């Protein structure tokens, strides 16, 4: 049996959550490069693309902090807790870059809707500091902390998904939409792993969790189709291969145990 498959689901979940999609950084760079190379591309359009890329980097680092936070609040969480301070610094640096990028942008440039979305995403500074204190003192439960970070990630995903609407070029807007779909596939995948970890820890898949799991599976399928449908050539092949990589397919095998084994309890799988 594959070595990765022998790992506990909780460890698999963390590894997958921390695993950056191979095409993510290239996709971000490619999007910005295309915007700069489009004939007549304005500084305004380039700025919008850079904001989406920067917010996407913030999503990625916040997801990593969420994974470590979840681990730190679980059983035997010392190893995860030890890694949190450094990841928090990395995450804050990425959000700092976004704040610098948008510091001098007025509401008229972004429009009232996206300005409001941006303001909401950047408003979590104090709440994140408070949550971190609660995590460090073990005064918050795992589910509450994870749900908080889901909300934070969601605010940045909303920002990324709105930025292509400001694009003046159809190709750049299409790439922006694909980038959004990539981030949403990754987010749904991470949340699925969390639910599966909880399922096997409890040794039972309850009705509400089953419905939530099925919804996440559907969400991944929809965004995966949207993502691959908007790409072509070698880049499409590269992203498709990453979405079908061994860690992902092994985790899907664990999904099948939960959903298609014909049982809802007594899985007897180490979470």
């Amino acid at each position: 049996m594959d070595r990765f498959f022998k790992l506990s689901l909780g460890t698999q979940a963390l590894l997958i959550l921390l695993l950056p999609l191979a095409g993510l950084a290239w996709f971000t760079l490619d999007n910005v490069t295309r915007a700069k190379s489009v004939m007549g591309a304005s500084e305004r359009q380039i700025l919008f693309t850079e904001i989406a890329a920067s917010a996407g980097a913030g999503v990625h680092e916040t997801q990593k902090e969420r994974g470590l936070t979840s681990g730190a609040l679980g059983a035997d969480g010392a190893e995860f807790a030890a890694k949190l301070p450094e990841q928090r610094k990395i995450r804050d640096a990425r959000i700092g870059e976004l704040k610098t990028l948008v510091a001098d942008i007025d509401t008229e440039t972004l429009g009232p809707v996206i300005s409001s979305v941006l303001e909401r995403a950047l408003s979590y500074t104090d709440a994140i500091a408070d949550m971190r204190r609660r995590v460090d003192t073990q005064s918050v439960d795992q589910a509450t902390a994870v749900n908080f970070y889901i909300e934070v990630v969601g605010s940045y995903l909303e920002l990324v998904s709105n930025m292509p609407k400001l694009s003046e070029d159809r190709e750049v807007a299409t790439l922006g939409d694909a980038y959004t779909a990539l981030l949403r596939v990754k987010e749904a995948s991470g949340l699925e792993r969390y639910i599966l970890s909880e399922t096997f820890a409890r040794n039972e898949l309850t009705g509400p969790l089953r419905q939530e799991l099925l919804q996440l599976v559907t969400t991944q399928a929809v965004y995966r189709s949207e993502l691959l449908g908007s790409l072509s050539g070698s880049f499409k092949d590269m992203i498709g291969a990453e979405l079908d990589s061994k860690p992902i397919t092994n985790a899907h095998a664990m999904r099948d145990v939960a959903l298609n084994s014909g049982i809802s309890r007594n899985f007897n799988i180490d979470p």
Side-chain angles (χ1 to χ4, degrees):
M1 183 178 291
D2 184 85
R3 182 181 178 184
F4 185 91
F5 195 77
K6 291 181 179 179
L7 296 175
S8 72
L9 188 71
T11 303
Q12 290 187 39
L14 183 68
L15 289 176
I16 292 170
L17 197 59
L18 297 183
L19 176 69
L21 288 171
L24 186 59
W26 192 91
F27 194 99
T28 305
L29 177 61
D30 182 68
N31 201 6
V32 175
T33 301
R34 282 177 182 270
K36 290 181 177 179
S37 66
V38 172
M39 184 175 296
S42 65
E43 289 298 321
R44 180 172 177 268
Q45 178 164 324
I46 294 170
L47 176 62
F48 294 158
T49 308
E50 290 174 336
I51 290 173
S54 182
V59 166
H60 180 61
E61 299 303 338
T62 304
Q63 288 169 328
K64 290 167 69 175
E65 180 174 336
R66 180 179 64 198
L68 289 173
T69 297
S70 176
L73 293 172
D76 302 319
E79 181 180 351
F80 300 111
K83 297 176 181 179
L84 263 176
E86 181 62 25
Q87 179 54 38
R88 288 169 176 173
K89 290 179 183 178
I90 295 172
R91 187 264 174 194
D92 289 347
R94 294 293 175 270
I95 300 304
E97 292 167 1
L98 175 60
K99 289 180 177 179
T100 299
L101 193 59
V102 302
D104 298 323
I105 300 179
D106 55 29
T107 302
E108 183 177 350
T109 300
L110 294 178
V113 174
I114 296 179
S115 292
S116 177
V117 171
L118 174 62
E119 182 179 1
R120 176 174 176 265
L122 297 179
S123 69
Y124 281 97
T125 301
D126 291 340
I128 287 175
D130 179 64
M131 177 56 70
R132 288 171 174 174
R133 284 192 293 269
R134 295 170 66 190
V135 170
D136 291 344
T137 58
Q138 297 283 303
S139 58
V140 61
D141 63 87
Q142 188 183 56
T144 299
V146 168
N147 284 331
F148 169 78
Y149 279 102
I150 289 173
E151 183 179 323
V152 175
V153 168
S155 70
Y156 285 97
L157 283 174
E158 186 179 2
L159 175 61
V160 174
S161 67
N162 273 280
M163 295 312 297
K165 298 175 183 178
L166 298 176
S167 178
E168 301 158 359
D169 180 82
R170 183 176 179 179
E171 184 179 28
V172 173
T174 298
L175 277 171
D177 288 336
Y179 182 48
T180 299
L182 175 60
L183 293 176
R184 291 196 181 278
V185 167
K186 183 168 175 281
E187 173 68 353
S189 177
L191 295 181
E192 179 193 359
R193 307 313 182 260
Y194 172 72
I195 290 177
L196 287 171
S197 181
E198 287 293 293
T199 294
F200 293 125
R202 298 176 182 179
N203 212 17
E204 179 181 16
L205 181 60
T206 63
L209 274 182
R210 173 181 285 274
Q211 290 303 313
E212 192 170 350
L213 183 57
L214 288 170
Q215 183 176 354
L216 285 170
V217 171
T218 300
T219 298
Q220 289 178 68
V222 169
Y223 283 117
R224 176 191 172 104
S225 176
E226 180 180 325
L227 169 61
L228 295 179
S230 63
L231 303 175
S232 60
S234 59
F235 188 41
K236 179 177 182 177
D237 293 339
M238 180 179 69
I239 294 297
E242 188 63 36
L243 292 175
D244 290 329
S245 63
K246 188 173 291 185
I248 299 294
T249 56
N250 283 339
H252 286 177
M254 303 301 282
R255 173 204 293 174
D256 287 340
V257 171
L259 291 177
N260 302 320
S261 62
I263 59 175
S264 60
R265 63 184 63 197
N266 299 324
F267 298 103
N268 297 320
I269 295 178
D270 182 7

